[in-house]
Amino acid sequence: MTFLLITFLTLLLFYLGTGKVKKIALIRFIWLTFISLLAIFGYFKNTTSTPPRFIIVIIGSILLALYSIKTIDPDKIKFKTLLLLHSLRLPIEIGLWHLYLKSEIPKIMTFNGYNFDIIMGISALIIYCLLQVNHQKKLFKFMYYWNIMGILLLSVIVGIAILSAPFPFQQFALEQPNQALLKFPYVLLPGIIVPMVYASHFIALNRLKNVISVM
């Protein structure tokens, strides 16, 4: 229930922070329903097929992120709302730690391994608070590089998660593979939350680039 709440909040904050584009919200809801049903019926648990069935989630997530980046108008985004979205990365990391304790994911995927994405969740809250008291322009350049760092840190854990899953090309965590993300509701992390986080970063970068250029 906690993870479903985080997913719902991510959807809501992305919708509010990117101009309330109803078409994207509808597509995400359809996609969420589709991959949730597949996960509930155990479709992704078959990891021996070639290519792995989970590739549906990977390709769909990439297309969803690209479509969002192309469709959303950067001028309509709300930085503060998107920062709240990124702050959800903090409870997500805590959730991943609990999944590790239940032997559902490897330690390498947690903040006690090589997952430093918790930094983005904590720093997002700090920047949000600073925006409440400081002039926004003082933080624009910092936020530009902060978003780049967020993309890099997220890409690291995404790569680790894929290479830790029990697929034929698994490279990490052979003793305790990444199994949770093949199940409901955790499939929503790579399928829904990750593409929204990526899209939020790239859209913010497009907006910040324009703002900085006229400063």
Side-chain angles (χ1 to χ4, degrees), residues 57-134:
V57 177
I58 296 174
I59 294 175
S61 298
I62 293 172
L63 293 176
L64 197 57
L66 291 175
Y67 179 75
S68 299
I69 295 168
K70 182 179 179 181
T71 304
I72 292 170
D73 183 357
D75 292 332
K76 294 183 179 180
I77 70 168
K78 298 178 180 179
F79 288 121
K80 292 181 182 178
T81 306
L82 292 184
L83 284 169
L84 290 177
L85 184 155
H86 290 298
S87 72
L88 294 175
R89 292 154 85 163
L90 176 57
I92 287 173
E93 294 307 311
I94 295 173
L96 289 178
W97 174 254
H98 283 286
L99 287 175
Y100 160 67
L101 296 179
K102 293 182 178 181
S103 301
E104 290 286 349
I105 66 170
K107 185 178 181 180
I108 194 175
M109 284 182 59
T110 71
F111 53 78
N112 205 24
Y114 290 96
N115 183 354
F116 304 108
D117 204 51
I118 194 171
I119 295 172
M120 300 307 297
I122 297 172
S123 57
L125 288 173
I126 296 173
I127 297 172
Y128 179 86
C129 293
L130 290 174
L131 286 176
Q132 306 299 316
V133 296
N134 292 336

Side-chain angles (χ1 to χ4, degrees), residues 16 21 28 44 55 96 116:
L16 297 175
V21 184
R28 289 188 184 281
F44 300 120
I55 198 170
L96 289 178
F116 304 108

Side-chain angles (χ1 to χ4, degrees), residues 1-214:
M1 291 301 296
T2 302
F3 193 85
L4 287 174
L5 177 60
I6 292 173
T7 303
F8 171 76
L9 289 175
T10 305
L11 286 165
L12 178 62
L13 290 171
F14 186 86
Y15 175 74
L16 297 175
T18 56
K20 300 180 181 180
V21 184
K22 293 182 175 59
K23 182 187 295 185
I24 293 179
L26 177 60
I27 292 173
R28 289 188 184 281
F29 177 76
I30 295 172
W31 173 244
L32 180 153
T33 304
F34 175 66
I35 60 174
S36 294
L37 288 174
L38 289 180
I40 288 171
F41 288 105
Y43 180 79
F44 300 120
K45 290 182 180 180
N46 182 345
T47 58
T48 59
S49 61
T50 305
R53 293 180 176 182
F54 195 75
I55 198 170
I56 295 174
V57 177
I58 296 174
I59 294 175
S61 298
I62 293 172
L63 293 176
L64 197 57
L66 291 175
Y67 179 75
S68 299
I69 295 168
K70 182 179 179 181
T71 304
I72 292 170
D73 183 357
D75 292 332
K76 294 183 179 180
I77 70 168
K78 298 178 180 179
F79 288 121
K80 292 181 182 178
T81 306
L82 292 184
L83 284 169
L84 290 177
L85 184 155
H86 290 298
S87 72
L88 294 175
R89 292 154 85 163
L90 176 57
I92 287 173
E93 294 307 311
I94 295 173
L96 289 178
W97 174 254
H98 283 286
L99 287 175
Y100 160 67
L101 296 179
K102 293 182 178 181
S103 301
E104 290 286 349
I105 66 170
K107 185 178 181 180
I108 194 175
M109 284 182 59
T110 71
F111 53 78
N112 205 24
Y114 290 96
N115 183 354
F116 304 108
D117 204 51
I118 194 171
I119 295 172
M120 300 307 297
I122 297 172
S123 57
L125 288 173
I126 296 173
I127 297 172
Y128 179 86
C129 293
L130 290 174
L131 286 176
Q132 306 299 316
V133 296
N134 292 336
H135 198 276
Q136 291 186 0
K137 289 184 178 180
K138 296 179 180 179
L139 291 171
F140 281 158
K141 287 187 178 180
F142 174 79
M143 288 172 62
Y144 183 85
Y145 294 107
W146 179 84
N147 277 281
I148 293 176
M149 184 177 72
I151 293 171
L152 294 176
L153 290 180
L154 183 60
S155 298
V156 168
I157 185 54
V158 167
I160 291 174
I162 293 174
L163 294 176
S164 298
F167 301 139
F169 50 80
Q170 181 180 0
Q171 298 295 317
F172 306 134
L174 298 176
E175 73 290 346
Q176 186 173 319
N178 170 20
Q179 303 181 70
L181 302 189
L182 306 178
K183 307 172 184 177
F184 179 82
Y186 309 111
V187 69
L188 299 178
L189 177 56
I192 293 293
I193 296 176
V194 168
M196 280 193 287
V197 172
Y198 267 123
S200 297
H201 277 310
F202 280 105
I203 296 166
L205 283 173
N206 289 336
R207 174 61 176 153
L208 288 166
K209 189 186 301 182
N210 295 333
V211 173
I212 293 173
S213 64
V214 298

